[in-house]
Amino acid sequence: MSGFIDTHAHLHDRAFNEDRPAVLARARAAGLEAVITVGTDVTESEAALALARGETDVYATVGLHPHDARLWTSEVRDRLGALAADGRVVAVGEIGLDLYRNLSPPDAQERAFREQLALANALTLPVVIHCREAEDETFAILREWAPGARCGDPVGVLHCYSGDADLAARYAELGFVISFAGPVTYPKNEGLQEAARTLPAERMALETDCPYLAPQVKRGRRNEPAYVVETARVIAALRGVRLETLAAQTSANARRLFRLPVPERVTP
């Protein structure tokens, strides 16, 4: 069976400090061929890259999360740009808007978002998008940006997607991949499940967002990359396809998005 790819993890998070090698071993045993560990500020981006440099199947992204957008400066931009020059960095993110917590003012969030989109364009890298309670605002900015993006198609990923099927389809038309995490397995998330059921297969990806948002069968535990398989089982059932089929398609999508090499084999 084709390996799975966890397209959004925080594997460098301190939640894994005590057992990170065991977590990676379980991921590989579960059939994962790669994990993308995602930066959220300069320090976290440096940590993500350091981990990726030490593991052949871990890659990093660099970016400033909207929660910390008030900290955006030209110095932060330059540091992220320098980190992104490393070949182990595969995207700019996670970036975007979060009008639920509003930990940074909306205008600061928009400025950091737009400037990081420009940075990704200059670096010809895809973007990893965070959107919470800001669906209209985020879509408007990305609709403006996507046609001019120079990172190819797909141009980025909507991480931990929480919208409906209609919005997912509109993002797909813009050139984005939609990534589903543990919440799609929660019984009450019928609208999200409909999005996972109807989205074109070539626009779908899988993630954990670990250590957060464990899937239903692991709910209440610390999430980890191996659990992406449980999310895949639910989506495969929703779509009426074999798990192997979903693994092959979503992994091919992730490799295309992040320009990952095709592994020679997945070590069981």
Side-chain angles (χ1 to χ4, degrees):
M1 183 174 73
S2 296
F4 295 90
I5 296 178
D6 183 354
T7 62
H8 195 110
H10 299 279
L11 194 54
H12 55 284
D13 189 276
R14 62 184 179 183
F16 298 109
N17 283 354
E18 298 300 318
D19 64 343
R20 191 171 289 109
V23 169
L24 277 166
R26 287 193 290 272
R28 291 160 183 154
L32 271 74
E33 67 180 57
V35 177
I36 312 297
T37 192
V38 174
T40 54
D41 60 26
V42 169
T43 300
E44 293 295 310
S45 296
E46 290 172 342
L49 178 54
L51 178 58
R53 284 171 171 165
E55 303 288 346
T56 58
D57 51 358
V58 177
Y59 299 85
T61 77
V62 299
L64 187 70
H65 193 284
H67 287 343
D68 294 316
R70 65 193 181 282
L71 304 177
W72 179 257
T73 63
S74 59
E75 289 77 15
V76 169
R77 179 197 63 213
D78 292 347
R79 181 56 183 154
L80 292 176
L83 291 171
D86 192 290
R88 301 300 295 176
V89 173
V90 296
V92 172
E94 65 186 279
I95 63 176
L97 301 175
D98 192 312
L99 303 183
Y100 175 72
R101 292 189 176 179
N102 269 324
L103 297 183
S104 284
D107 59 340
Q109 291 190 43
E110 181 173 344
R111 175 178 174 240
F113 187 19
R114 288 184 179 277
E115 293 198 18
Q116 289 181 96
L117 289 171
L119 177 64
N121 208 6
L123 296 168
T124 64
L125 286 174
V127 290
V128 177
I129 303 298
H130 173 104
C131 174
R132 190 170 186 192
E133 299 293 332
E135 284 76 10
D136 292 344
E137 296 87 347
T138 301
F139 185 82
I141 290 171
L142 292 176
R143 182 175 55 190
E144 174 187 325
W145 171 79
R150 292 187 292 163
C151 50
D153 181 25
V155 296
V157 57
L158 270 293
H159 120 80
C160 195
Y161 185 71
S162 60
D164 61 19
D166 176 69
L167 182 59
R170 287 191 286 146
Y171 271 122
E173 290 175 359
L174 282 185
F176 284 89
V177 169
I178 307 299
S179 182
F180 295 95
V184 76
T185 71
Y186 302 165
K188 293 183 179 180
N189 279 351
E190 295 178 358
L192 185 56
Q193 291 168 0
E194 178 66 8
R197 188 184 69 79
T198 60
L199 186 71
E202 65 273 13
R203 290 300 187 188
M204 178 177 294
L206 303 171
E207 67 169 275
T208 58
D209 200 16
C210 66
Y212 316 107
L213 298 175
Q216 183 68 25
V217 295
K218 304 289 187 180
R219 206 165 179 181
R221 306 183 196 181
R222 179 194 66 178
N223 202 4
E224 61 178 75
Y227 295 172
V228 79
V229 180
E230 302 302 333
T231 297
R233 291 187 201 282
V234 171
I235 296 175
L238 287 169
R239 296 177 69 88
V241 301
R242 292 171 56 86
L243 183 62
E244 293 85 353
T245 301
L246 188 76
Q249 181 69 69
T250 56
S251 294
N253 297 343
R255 286 193 296 269
R256 189 171 70 252
L257 170 66
F258 295 116
R259 303 170 208 164
L260 304 180
V262 177
E264 294 183 5
R265 66 185 178 92
V266 177
T267 303

